[in-house]
Amino acid sequence: MEAIARLEATFKDVAQAASRHCQPFQRAADFWKHIPPAIPVMRVIAATLLRDVLSTNSGEELRWLAGPGKTVSVEQLGVEAIVVFVSHRWWSSLKSLPDFEWRKMHLMVNRIIPTIARHFGVAFEDIYVWIDFACINQQNTAPGVQALPFYAAAADCVVALRGGDEHFAADPQVYFDKGARSVRGYTGDRDSHPGHYNNRVWTSLELFAATSPWAGSVRGNRRVLFDVELGPG
């Protein structure tokens, strides 16, 4: 309860800061000046780095992005920088695989990021991406997870990659029974499959935070939601 109370107090403090500022904060860096130091600063990866790594590496090697020195604090970004928050469903939580053959990341680099750059009238090089597997410490996820509402609100736009996990993509479909700790056959409605993006608590939280009236009040209508429906695989 104390943690929730602290979050609520922070929400109020940031909203009051925006009110004193007389207008929503136009940059993530300006927004972050009003976030308490106890909340881990939002760190992002350059779209150019993501593109370069995808062009020279494959598979597990992309985890190199999560290594030290690969991300940059939003406080250090230039005035033209656009911050993109990527909301997605991991391909396999059991195997700690965020993507299947890095298809979502290739889609981001080849189509989505160029579209975002054109929308904002900036260059590809001005785009910076927040994505959980690279920007949250996977050995200690709790601090980053608690900061998700602030990360989503700080971004200039949010990309919702609506796809399913390995069990959703299986034919026939299966699901992971958490109670039994085993994979079982799934015969329910496809839209209700527990392995799909739309039925994941964290992704729902991310979209709620990104589109909430609070986020709009502190970051303004400049923020955009790119909603991308992915195939089964």
Side-chain angles (χ1 to χ4, degrees):
M1 294 298 293
E2 291 183 5
I4 293 176
R6 287 197 297 270
L7 285 175
E8 290 178 342
T10 300
F11 290 147
K12 292 178 181 178
D13 290 344
V14 175
Q16 290 173 356
S19 178
R20 292 193 298 269
H21 192 62
C22 297
Q23 62 180 352
F25 301 112
Q26 296 300 305
R27 298 174 59 241
D30 297 329
F31 168 84
W32 209 264
K33 292 176 183 177
H34 301 277
I35 302 300
I39 296 177
V41 65
M42 185 179 191
R43 302 190 66 84
V44 291
I45 56 175
T48 51
L49 177 60
L50 180 60
R51 178 191 61 196
D52 294 345
V53 171
L54 283 172
S55 68
T56 57
N57 295 280
S58 61
E60 294 297 308
E61 295 177 6
L62 195 60
R63 293 180 183 277
W64 176 84
L65 285 171
K70 307 305 185 298
T71 61
V72 60
S73 165
V74 294
E75 298 170 314
Q76 298 174 290
L77 299 182
V79 294
E80 297 296 324
I82 296 296
V83 176
V84 179
F85 181 100
V86 179
S87 175
H88 73 125
R89 173 88 196 212
W90 279 42
W91 174 252
S92 176
S93 297
L94 296 176
K95 302 172 186 175
S96 298
L97 289 176
D99 200 359
F100 176 62
E101 298 179 348
W102 302 109
R103 292 181 181 179
K104 288 183 291 191
M105 295 304 98
H106 280 288
L107 179 65
M108 284 291 301
V109 165
N110 296 331
R111 299 183 61 183
I112 297 176
I113 292 177
T115 298
I116 292 172
R118 288 194 297 271
H119 175 86
F120 285 98
V122 299
F124 188 99
E125 291 76 11
D126 294 318
I127 304 295
Y128 290 81
V129 178
W130 183 97
I131 190 161
D132 52 8
F133 71 83
C135 301
I136 284 183
N137 182 350
Q138 295 302 309
Q139 279 67 55
N140 181 25
T141 59
V145 168
Q146 293 174 1
L148 279 177
F150 301 100
Y151 296 160
D156 296 294
C157 71
V158 174
V159 174
L161 298 176
R162 296 182 186 269
D165 64 7
E166 60 179 335
H167 300 139
F168 177 84
D171 186 15
Q173 282 190 323
V174 295
Y175 77 103
F176 181 70
D177 186 326
K178 293 183 179 179
R181 302 293 299 173
S182 64
V183 176
R184 299 191 174 188
Y186 180 78
T187 57
D189 179 40
R190 189 175 183 83
D191 292 337
S192 301
H193 192 287
H196 193 270
Y197 174 98
N198 294 343
N199 305 314
R200 176 73 169 163
V201 171
W202 289 118
T203 51
S204 298
L205 170 64
E206 289 166 356
L207 289 189
F208 174 78
T211 59
S212 68
W214 174 80
S217 69
V218 297
R219 289 290 276 124
N221 295 327
R222 186 169 179 258
R223 304 174 70 254
V224 180
L225 172 64
F226 287 84
D227 213 334
V228 183
E229 190 70 38
L230 302 179

